[in-house]
Amino acid sequence: MNNSGSPQEMIPPVEGVAGGGTAYGWGDGSLQDQRILRGTIDPSRVPSSELVHVWCMPSTANVGPQETPRPLEPVSLLAARNERESIQIAIRPKVSWSGSNNAGVVQIQCTDLCSTSGERLVIGQSVTLRRVVPILGVPDALVPIDMPVSQINLLPGETTAIWVSIDVPSTQPPGQYDGELIVTATKTDAECAAQFLDKSEKYQVYRELRNCLDVIEHVDGKPVEEVVERAKSATTTLRRVLLSPSFSDFFSENGLLDMMDEDANLSIRLKLSLTVWDFVLPTTPSLPAVIGISDTVIEDRLGVEHGSAQWYDALELHFKWLLRYKISPYFCKWGNSMRVLTYTSPWPADHPKSDEFFSDPRLAAYAVPYSPVVPCGDLAKDYLQKEVEILRSKSHWNKAYFYLWDEPLNVQQYDAIRHQASEIHAYAPDARVLTTYYSGPSDAPLAPNNFEAFLKVPGFLRPHTQIYCTSEWVIGNREDLVKDIIAEIKPENNEEWWTYVCMGPSDPHPNWHLGMRGTQHRAVMWRVWKEGGTGFLYWGANCYEKATAASAEIKFRRGLPPGDGVLFYPGEVFSSSHEPVASLRLERLLSGLQVIFCFLILLSKFSFFYTTMTNKGA
């Protein structure tokens, strides 16, 4: 079905900062026959295409309230197994048909996606729908809606977006899967209820059904004859209810079919097709993306005490939820002068939960705390040695790293890293210490200019750091500087080069600031791979301003670009759910990572093919 009309010929660019399209004052008067909509509009008698625009947008588009309609076209997606693909469905009212301040209500229904062989991608499991909610006027929060059927209110003159995600299981058979997303303009619940039973009729139906349940519910241990009699009585009651005027007028078999046919004719039906490729993305990410979660923010907002049972539960919920995004979360607590305590598991290394966390194949890297996460009295003295000895005996030790200090600025801070790293390496010479930095020590210049001093940091820290994690802000648009950075790293000594973003770089470079283009959000991880980095770090995913209530308004931290340090929101802000709410930017992070994994698989296959052909030629 095509939402056509003369204004559709003027289509602005899909992407745009802070809201996608740039058109304002959109004329919604493109109805095919205005005469049928004069007076009170009954959406059950008017095709939904006459009441709303529906169209599709890519996952990189920022679909704001003023996004302009486009033609409705079928959606065709491609995905590997163990990959998520997403699309946006935009809905905008053409007229108002509700008696309230809303333009009206639309019902959204999505079917399973089915293959010709009968395989399914099930709605609510593999297929999910979320509403795009603006933050500071910019589309960002993805709030879950009911599935498979949900109702949403539309505002006059504003576009609403629904984010549709399809998660393909690793074991899903390859092939083409088809389904539908159905949008139907409808009446509000109050208007619908008014058409059906009044209060006395509802109560009568309730009593009949309650009596029916009472008759049939307690049959265990009863003689067969009594069970048969009770079943007959229940059958009689159900038949009486179904044949009563209250039901028969609306839900007779012919009437129900007529209603279904009528809905099918009035609804807007979007064809959704997904082709599943015959290869699987790795369970363990081939490029680790480690992202921080502030435990202090969790403690403050949820009102949980550090080290309490509720605290452990909250951290475990966040850890497992973020693993879905193919990232390796770590928890962090900031100290003075950017000293940071980082840990992936809040439990000691010998606790079964720690082994569960670290052994999860979706986890590519985990942070080991330098000191106890929860105060443990006299045990703190030998804490580090015991933790390291336990972890070194595990098969997942190659995932471990220590992140001790964030962006050291002077000799004293660099010396603190050296001291702590020396202690770690005394117990585990093969331990990896990660240091983030964007400059050398300010009070002991390592070179005549800032960039040369920055390049000398590996030599200044060696052998006390194995993962040199540098700011992309330093590189900016000077991609030629990358080779100078890499030249200072010594892979033969098991050294690695990772990168990070924090505050900068700003537009037009890739980052996760609110309002940047979707391709900028996705390209953060592409840039890591393109430049030759072997890992990535992001300082915070939940670093909002302090609040002492879970449902408190979200406020970004002062002095930071909007969205910096925030990739998800507390679920309690939007509903009663305790599960975090993802941002568009987190979804695009995942998308960027998945593209890299596809590239690496493609390169490995090409390399194998090239080697095979070369050997045959030889």
Side-chain angles (χ1 to χ4, degrees), residues 349-351 355 358-359 366 388-398:
D350 59 356
H351 195 284
D355 206 46
F358 299 153
S359 299
Y366 63 82
V388 168
E389 288 176 352
I390 293 170
L391 292 174
R392 288 191 76 196
S393 67
K394 304 289 186 178
S395 60
H396 50 61
W397 170 247
N398 63 331

Side-chain angles (χ1 to χ4, degrees), residues 84-318:
R84 172 182 293 180
E85 280 296 324
S86 299
I87 192 74
Q88 297 183 80
I89 309 301
I91 308 171
R92 184 180 179 92
K94 296 181 177 181
V95 296
S96 292
W97 63 93
S98 171
S100 65
N101 293 329
N102 296 325
V105 176
V106 292
Q107 177 177 284
I108 300 173
Q109 178 181 0
C110 189
T111 68
D112 295 345
L113 272 62
C114 305
S115 69
T116 54
S117 60
E119 303 290 344
R120 288 176 177 268
L121 291 164
V122 179
I123 181 70
Q125 298 177 18
S126 294
V127 185
T128 56
L129 276 63
R130 288 169 287 177
R131 184 170 183 169
V132 182
V133 175
I135 304 293
L136 293 183
V138 180
D140 195 53
L142 298 177
V143 180
I145 61 176
D146 293 335
M147 291 179 286
V149 180
S150 184
Q151 289 189 350
I152 62 171
N153 293 317
L154 302 181
L155 296 177
E158 292 193 8
T159 298
T160 295
I162 303 298
W163 186 278
V164 182
S165 293
I166 306 172
D167 290 283
V168 183
S170 299
T171 56
Q172 193 72 27
Q176 181 170 316
Y177 292 77
D178 297 306
E180 283 188 321
L181 193 140
I182 305 164
V183 179
T184 309
T186 185
K187 297 180 180 180
T188 64
D189 290 340
E191 291 173 317
C192 291
Q195 289 186 356
F196 291 90
L197 311 180
D198 61 28
K199 188 172 182 178
S200 61
E201 290 175 313
K202 288 180 182 178
Y203 182 67
Q204 179 62 32
V205 171
Y206 167 79
R207 286 187 58 188
E208 294 274 15
L209 294 178
R210 179 73 254 183
N211 291 338
C212 179
L213 182 61
D214 290 340
V215 166
I216 205 68
E217 192 170 27
H218 306 291
V219 296
D220 291 344
K222 300 291 184 181
V224 175
E225 295 80 5
E226 183 175 344
V227 172
V228 171
E229 288 301 318
R230 285 173 177 254
K232 288 180 179 179
S233 175
T235 302
T236 302
T237 301
L238 288 174
R239 182 178 293 109
R240 183 166 60 248
V241 170
L242 291 174
L243 295 178
S244 67
S246 300
F247 272 72
S248 60
D249 288 349
F250 293 100
F251 299 111
S252 63
E253 291 188 11
N254 290 336
L256 184 59
L257 291 174
D258 290 343
M259 290 171 63
M260 293 174 63
D261 290 341
E262 185 176 1
D263 287 344
N265 291 331
L266 296 178
S267 300
I268 300 172
R269 310 180 79 89
L270 168 64
K271 300 294 183 181
L272 186 59
S273 175
L274 173 74
T275 299
V276 177
W277 283 329
D278 192 13
F279 68 88
V280 185
L281 295 191
T283 302
T284 304
S286 44
L287 190 151
V290 300
I291 294 183
I293 310 167
S294 171
D295 61 3
T296 305
V297 170
I298 292 175
E299 292 161 11
D300 290 343
R301 290 194 74 98
L302 299 184
V304 295
E305 182 180 352
H306 188 88
S308 65
Q310 295 82 2
W311 179 79
Y312 282 106
D313 290 344
L315 266 57
E316 182 174 8
L317 183 152
H318 283 78

Side-chain angles (χ1 to χ4, degrees), residues 410-431:
N410 54 47
V411 171
Q412 182 182 10
Q413 294 173 4
Y414 274 92
D415 284 345
I417 295 173
R418 286 196 186 95
H419 173 75
Q420 292 179 329
S422 295
E423 187 179 358
I424 293 168
H425 288 139
Y427 305 131
D430 58 341

Side-chain angles (χ1 to χ4, degrees), residues 39 45 97 139 201 273 357 513 520 545:
R45 299 180 179 278
W97 63 93
E201 290 175 313
S273 175
F357 275 34
H513 297 166
Q520 286 175 282
E545 284 281 7

Side-chain angles (χ1 to χ4, degrees), residues 4-82:
S4 60
S6 56
Q8 301 253 9
E9 298 174 3
M10 299 178 60
I11 299 177
V14 168
E15 292 185 344
V17 176
T22 56
Y24 289 85
W26 177 263
D28 284 326
S30 57
L31 301 178
Q32 296 171 6
D33 189 350
Q34 294 281 351
R35 291 173 297 175
I36 65 172
L37 298 179
R38 290 176 181 170
T40 302
I41 300 173
D42 182 353
S44 65
R45 299 180 179 278
V46 179
S48 295
S49 59
E50 298 291 344
L51 304 180
V52 293
H53 297 281
V54 177
W55 70 101
C56 304
M57 297 289 280
S59 60
T60 51
N62 293 328
V63 183
Q66 298 305 319
E67 189 68 47
T68 54
R70 291 167 169 76
L72 177 62
E73 298 175 349
V75 174
S76 295
L77 300 173
L78 304 171
R81 289 179 284 175
N82 194 34

